[in-house]
Amino acid sequence: MAVALKQSYLRPYSPSSSPFTCSLRSFFSFMRYYSSCSLPPGPGLEDFIKEREFKDIQLSGTALMEDDHSPPPYLNEETIAGRNRKVYFETYGCQMNANDTEIAWSILSNAGYRRAKEITDADVILAVTCAIRENAENKVWNRLDYFSHLKQKRSANLPPLKVGLLGCMAERLKEKLLDTDKQVDLIAGPDAYRDLPRLLAVTESGEAAVNVALSLDETYADVSPVRLNESSPTAFVSIMRGCDNMCSFCIVPFTRGRERSRPMSSIISEVKSLSEQGIKQVTLLGQNVNSYRELSPSHSSSSLTNLSRGFSSIYKSKEGGRRFAELLHEVAQVDPDMRIRFTSPHPKDFPDELLEVIRENGNICKHIHLPIQSGSTRILQLMRRGHTREAYLSLVDRIRSIIPGVAISTDIIAGFCDEREEDHNDTLSLMEQVKYDMAFMFAYSMRKKTHAYHRLKDSVPEDIKKKRLAEIISTFYSLSGSRNKRFIGTEQLVLLVSATKRNEMDCKGKSDTNHTVIFPRKHLPGEADNEEREPNTGEYVRVKITDSTSLSLKGVAISRTTLTAFNQQNDCPSYTN
C-alpha cells in the first residue's frame, strides 16, 4: 500500500520511495530554500519528529488525508506570506471551477497576495483546469507554451514568474506535467487550495510543489469566496463536492473524490451574505448537486435515499441526513427577490418532493438540467447510468406535469463505446420526443482511470463520432428553433445581466427558464417607484417577447419590476410545454 507524506515539498513520491527518503528530500529542499532567502531559521530534525499524526487512507490508488488546516510548526504566517505578489487566474471548464477560482483567490488574498488584472503584470499565473474531455486538456497544454514564453521574457530585475495548475487536470496528470518542459512550478488538486500559500513558498526554492491529495470531508465551508466579477448580479455557491455515481465514461470521481456535503447552516449563511450584497441570482453547485445529504447529530434520520421512480444507483441506499429538497426550500426562503438555480444534477435524484419544492417556490427557477447522455437503453447500461430510456421519459413527463412551463436542458455524448447506428438513432428520436430547451453536446473522449477505459473499447471511429455529433447538433437546433416560438407574445421576467457584445444599445438578460433574452435599451417606468430611467445591471425587467431564434428570445421592455411583484401578477405561465 502506497504511503503519502502529508507535507510533500517536492514531486510526488513513487510507490517505491520510502517515507524516510521523502522526509530527507523534503528536509534538504527546505534547507536550500531558507539559506537562499531572508527568512526565519528553517526547520530542525525535531520539527519533522514532532509533525502531528495523520491518517492515510488508500482509495483507488489515491491517498485521502485527514483535514488539518494549520501549517507545520516550522512554517508561520511570515514564511508563507504573499508579500503583495500579484496572481492572475485563468479558469477552464465547469461552473464548479469558477467557484473554485473564487475560493482559491480568497485563500491567497488572506495570505497577502494581490490580484493581477493582466497576465503580463502577474508574479504568479494559476490555471484552474478541467479534465472531463480531451479538448479541455489540449487547451491548457497549448496555454502552457505561452506561460513558458512569459517566464523566459521575465525581466532579470523581477522575481521569477511562477506557474501553477489547479483542479482536475492537475490531479489527473501530475507526473506528466512535471516531466514535460512546460516549466510548471506548482500542482494542486481540487482539495488542496488551502495549501496554496505554502506551496507557493516552496516554489521559491526552485523546487516543484505538489499537493493532489483528495479529502473525505473538505468542502471549504469556512472559506468565503471572493467574487472575481464584482459587477455581476449572479453568484455561485458550492454545496457539495465529489461524486459517487461512477458512470463508466466519467473521470470526476477520480479527480474530485467521494461525495461530501457542506453544512446547511454554512450554505444559508453565505446565501444571506450574497443577498445583503445585492446579488439577484444564486446557483447552487455540486458534481451531483441533488444528491446533497447533510449528516449532523442534531438532525438524525433513518430515512433512506429516495430516488426518482424507475432509477437505481451503483451504491447502496444512503441512510439519514437532510436532503436537497429541504436545503432548496430553506435557501429559497432567504430572499424572495433572489432567483435560485442549481447544477449539475443527476436524473436519479429527482423524487416528487423535490419537484414539488420547485413548483411551490416562485423564486426557484423553472429550469431543470436533466442529462441523458444517450437515448439508447443499451448504451445507458454500458454507461452505468442506472436507468432505461423509458424511465427517463417517464421522469420528463412527471416533471412537466408537476412544474407547468418548465424548461429542460441536457447533456448528450456522441459515439460512446460500441455505439451502433441504431443507438444513435435512438438518441435522435429521444431528442425529438423531449424537445429540449438547451443541450450540451460532445463527441466521446475516453479518459484514463474510468470504468470504460478498463472494461470497454473506444470502438467508434473519430469520423463517425463527428458525423453523429453533427446530426445531434442539427437536430437540436431544428427542434429548439420551433420550440422557442411558444414564447412569442408572452411576458417574461428578465434579469438584466449586461449589454450585448454586438450592440451596446441592446440589453441582455436571462429569463426564469434560463433563456437568453435580448431587448433594446431604453428608459422604463418602475412598477414600484414610478421613476422613468434606464434599468441597471441586476434589475428585473418585464419584457414582451416578439421574436425568437434557436438560442435566444427577442423582445421589447415594458417596465422595471421585482421578482415578487411579477410572480404575484403571473400566477401561472402563459405558455404550455
Side-chain angles (χ1 to χ4, degrees):
M1 175 170 163
V3 179
L5 287 181
K6 185 173 183 182
Q7 303 295 345
S8 54
Y9 296 106
L10 300 174
R11 298 185 179 188
Y13 58 90
S14 65
S16 61
S17 300
S18 70
F20 179 71
T21 302
C22 286
S23 296
L24 285 179
R25 292 168 67 189
S26 300
F27 176 78
F28 288 118
S29 174
F30 268 93
M31 289 294 96
R32 291 194 300 271
Y33 170 48
Y34 277 86
S35 65
S36 63
C37 305
S38 300
L39 295 173
L45 182 60
E46 67 277 6
D47 292 309
F48 287 90
I49 296 174
K50 291 178 183 178
E51 179 75 19
R52 54 178 58 87
E53 295 181 355
F54 63 97
K55 291 180 181 178
D56 283 341
I57 304 174
Q58 196 72 17
L59 179 65
S60 299
T62 302
L64 303 175
M65 311 297 188
E66 272 190 342
D67 282 338
D68 181 0
H69 307 321
S70 58
Y74 45 83
L75 290 180
N76 52 43
E77 291 185 4
E78 183 180 352
T79 307
I80 62 176
R83 300 189 295 279
N84 290 321
R85 282 174 292 176
K86 290 188 277 189
V87 181
Y88 183 84
F89 284 96
E90 284 195 0
T91 306
Y92 301 85
C94 64
Q95 292 165 317
M96 181 66 83
N97 275 4
N99 184 250
D100 278 2
T101 302
E102 295 179 344
I103 290 172
W105 174 232
S106 175
I107 291 166
L108 288 175
S109 62
N110 287 334
Y113 287 85
R114 291 188 298 153
R115 183 182 170 196
K117 294 187 177 181
E118 301 293 336
I119 193 170
T120 51
D121 295 333
D123 301 304
V124 178
I125 299 172
L126 297 178
V128 185
T129 63
C130 174
I132 198 75
R133 279 173 291 276
E134 187 175 1
N135 284 345
E137 291 185 353
N138 288 340
K139 289 179 182 178
V140 177
W141 283 116
N142 293 335
R143 197 63 176 153
L144 284 175
D145 291 332
Y146 176 62
F147 297 162
S148 296
H149 173 68
L150 292 178
K151 275 174 161 277
Q152 295 166 6
K153 285 181 55 181
R154 183 82 164 177
S155 170
N157 297 325
L158 297 172
L161 175 66
K162 302 299 179 182
V163 171
L165 258 62
L166 315 183
C168 296
M169 181 178 170
E171 196 285 332
R172 194 179 85 82
L173 297 173
K174 46 192 175 291
E175 290 90 357
K176 183 177 179 181
L177 286 164
L178 289 170
D179 290 340
T180 64
D181 60 354
K182 303 296 185 180
Q183 302 183 49
V184 176
D185 304 288
L186 180 154
I187 298 174
D191 293 343
Y193 299 144
R194 294 182 191 272
D195 202 24
L196 286 174
R198 181 192 69 84
L199 293 172
L200 282 168
V202 171
T203 65
E204 293 188 15
S205 67
E207 301 288 351
V210 180
N211 186 345
V212 293
L214 296 177
S215 170
L216 286 174
D217 56 6
E218 176 63 89
T219 63
Y220 300 105
D222 60 330
V223 176
S224 297
V226 176
R227 298 174 60 238
L228 295 178
N229 184 359
E230 297 177 352
S231 63
S232 174
T234 67
F236 299 120
V237 174
S238 175
I239 68 166
M240 58 86 68
R241 301 176 75 86
C243 184
D244 290 349
N245 290 323
M246 302 298 290
C247 300
S248 62
F249 57 83
C250 188
I251 190 67
V252 167
F254 304 97
T255 59
R256 291 275 184 175
R258 301 292 298 275
E259 286 181 9
R260 62 271 191 201
S261 297
R262 180 177 169 186
M264 194 175 292
S265 59
S266 169
I267 297 168
I268 300 300
S269 177
E270 183 175 344
V271 173
K272 286 181 178 177
S273 175
L274 291 169
S275 173
E276 292 167 358
Q277 297 171 39
I279 296 300
K280 292 301 181 184
Q281 177 179 292
V282 162
T283 302
L284 306 181
L285 295 179
Q287 270 78 36
N288 186 177
V289 66
N290 53 339
S291 70
Y292 175 88
R293 186 173 71 108
E294 181 203 48
L295 293 173
S296 64
S298 59
H299 294 90
S300 60
S301 169
S302 59
S303 63
L304 297 176
T305 302
N306 189 7
L307 299 180
S308 308
R309 299 177 208 170
F311 286 70
S312 63
S313 67
I314 199 169
Y315 51 79
K316 293 181 180 179
S317 184
K318 299 176 181 179
E319 183 176 343
R322 304 170 77 186
R323 305 299 174 127
F324 185 63
E326 182 179 351
L327 170 67
L328 193 59
H329 175 76
E330 292 297 323
V331 169
Q333 306 313 303
V334 170
D335 182 351
D337 268 320
M338 174 190 280
R339 276 181 174 168
I340 309 300
R341 300 188 187 275
F342 59 91
T343 199
S344 180
H346 192 289
K348 70 178 174 60
D349 295 303
F350 276 104
D352 287 357
E353 55 262 36
L354 174 55
L355 301 177
E356 289 162 3
V357 167
I358 297 171
R359 178 191 63 194
E360 294 165 1
N361 289 272
N363 60 336
I364 300 177
C365 292
K366 306 307 181 280
H367 163 239
I368 289 179
H369 189 62
L370 203 65
I372 180 60
Q373 311 299 355
S374 172
S376 164
T377 293
R378 190 181 74 88
I379 296 299
L380 289 171
Q381 290 173 344
L382 290 176
M383 289 178 167
R384 304 206 297 184
R385 292 292 287 171
H387 64 87
T388 63
R389 170 194 177 98
E390 291 73 23
Y392 180 90
L393 289 172
S394 177
L395 175 59
V396 169
D397 290 342
R398 194 158 60 253
I399 289 172
R400 285 180 167 157
S401 67
I402 294 175
I403 310 171
V406 68
I408 297 178
S409 58
T410 197
D411 297 337
I412 300 175
I413 296 174
F416 184 68
C417 302
D418 196 34
E419 183 187 74
R420 303 164 188 167
E421 196 64 26
E422 56 264 34
D423 300 313
H424 171 61
N425 289 334
D426 282 347
T427 297
L428 297 179
S429 68
L430 183 138
M431 294 175 68
E432 291 170 352
Q433 190 167 345
V434 176
K435 295 180 173 61
Y436 292 107
D437 291 89
M438 184 172 293
F440 299 91
M441 301 156 284
F442 307 94
Y444 175 61
S445 175
M446 182 171 273
R447 306 279 79 194
K448 290 183 179 179
K449 296 186 179 180
T450 62
H451 175 84
Y453 179 79
H454 292 290
R455 301 293 179 88
L456 303 175
K457 185 178 179 181
D458 188 6
S459 56
V460 181
E462 288 301 317
D463 60 332
I464 300 298
K465 287 182 183 178
K466 291 178 181 179
K467 174 179 175 291
R468 291 176 182 173
L469 177 60
E471 291 176 356
I472 288 171
I473 293 172
S474 176
T475 299
F476 167 73
Y477 277 114
S478 174
L479 293 169
S480 64
S482 59
R483 180 164 173 75
N484 283 349
K485 287 182 170 55
R486 76 193 191 278
F487 291 104
I488 296 175
T490 67
E491 289 185 4
Q492 298 295 316
L493 181 67
V494 178
L495 177 62
L496 179 57
V497 176
S498 66
T500 63
K501 292 182 179 180
R502 290 185 178 181
N503 186 351
E504 292 187 357
M505 296 307 296
D506 282 344
C507 297
K508 181 173 71 173
K510 287 286 187 177
S511 69
D512 179 83
T513 53
N514 207 34
H515 286 85
T516 297
V517 182
I518 299 171
F519 55 95
R521 182 184 299 277
K522 66 176 184 178
H523 282 69
L524 298 172
E527 295 180 357
D529 55 22
N530 291 320
E531 176 189 356
E532 190 159 315
R533 59 172 173 80
E534 287 189 2
N536 297 317
T537 298
E539 283 192 291
Y540 291 105
V541 179
R542 186 186 297 270
V543 178
K544 185 170 183 177
I545 305 303
T546 58
D547 197 5
S548 67
T549 69
S550 57
L551 291 178
S552 64
L553 308 176
K554 297 180 181 180
V556 177
I558 299 172
S559 62
R560 293 178 291 106
T561 185
T562 65
L563 193 156
T564 51
F566 185 89
N567 285 341
Q568 288 170 1
Q569 297 174 32
N570 298 267
D571 292 333
C572 298
S574 55
Y575 53 89
T576 62
N577 286 313

